[in-house]
Amino acid sequence: MEAEKLITFFEDDLCLFHLRSKKKLSVLQEMVKHLAGTGRISDEAFIMEMLKNRESLGSTGLGDGVAFPHGKSLAIKELTILFGRSAGGVDFESLDGKPTQVFFLILAPSDRSATTYLAILSELINLVQKPDKLSLLCDCTDFETLTQILGG
């Protein structure tokens, strides 16, 4: 997937640059509640339960301050990515035990978008493995800067 295409999945109203929550479940709830407020999901409680079930299988906090909570559901109308950032970090039970600062919440309809969903996840994982990009994401506080990081 090319960077220009990756950027098309991000929208200004789907970015939370100042997450307030400090714990795993509350940060998931904060992001899901925001999505519900934008009308991107039809059943907030169902999505929250899906994410909790996914996290029970193993944390999506991969370490280095990044987490990729994700899932597929009929309650999702279209492939949606929410970018979240916590300046102070969140205890997300990440693999390295360190606070998580950057979140990519990826939700997809269960009946389609599988290829795109996996391509986005792969591209984002490749991006955060670059220390300079990850550092910029941790400090990112506006949509314009986010698109520059994702695109460059």
Side-chain angles (χ1 to χ4, degrees), residues 4-65:
E4 292 79 26
K5 180 150 173 97
L6 179 64
I7 292 170
T8 65
F9 291 97
F10 288 83
E11 297 180 34
D12 196 8
D13 69 333
L14 296 179
C15 296
L16 294 171
F17 294 103
H18 305 283
L19 288 166
R20 286 180 246 141
S21 304
K22 300 294 180 201
K23 298 283 184 188
K24 185 174 193 172
L25 288 181
S26 60
V27 78
L28 288 173
Q29 185 67 51
E30 184 177 350
M31 292 189 291
V32 168
K33 188 172 190 73
H34 183 81
L35 283 176
T38 65
R40 304 298 170 98
I41 56 174
S42 58
D43 189 334
E44 185 178 334
F46 184 82
I47 297 297
M48 198 54 210
E49 199 59 34
M50 177 192 71
L51 291 171
K52 282 195 236 177
N53 287 338
R54 171 58 191 89
E55 291 298 324
S56 73
L57 299 174
S59 179
T60 58
L62 300 183
D64 292 329

Side-chain angles (χ1 to χ4, degrees), residues 105-149:
L105 174 59
I106 305 170
L107 300 175
S110 60
D111 57 345
R112 58 183 193 271
S113 306
T115 304
T116 305
Y117 172 83
L118 293 174
I120 289 170
L121 187 58
S122 174
E123 185 69 22
L124 290 172
I125 289 172
N126 286 336
L127 181 82
V128 300
Q129 289 178 335
K130 298 173 183 168
D132 59 328
K133 296 283 188 180
L134 180 56
S135 177
L136 291 170
L137 286 169
C138 288
D139 294 334
C140 181
T141 59
D142 63 79
F143 187 68
E144 184 178 340
T145 303
L146 177 64
T147 58
Q148 289 171 355
I149 297 166

Side-chain angles (χ1 to χ4, degrees), residues 24 28 51-63 66-70 90-98 100 103:
K24 185 174 193 172
L28 288 173
L51 291 171
K52 282 195 236 177
N53 287 338
R54 171 58 191 89
E55 291 298 324
S56 73
L57 299 174
S59 179
T60 58
L62 300 183
V66 182
F68 293 93
H70 60 276
V90 174
D91 178 2
F92 205 74
E93 302 170 6
S94 66
L95 298 178
D96 62 5
K98 296 179 181 174
T100 302
F103 297 87

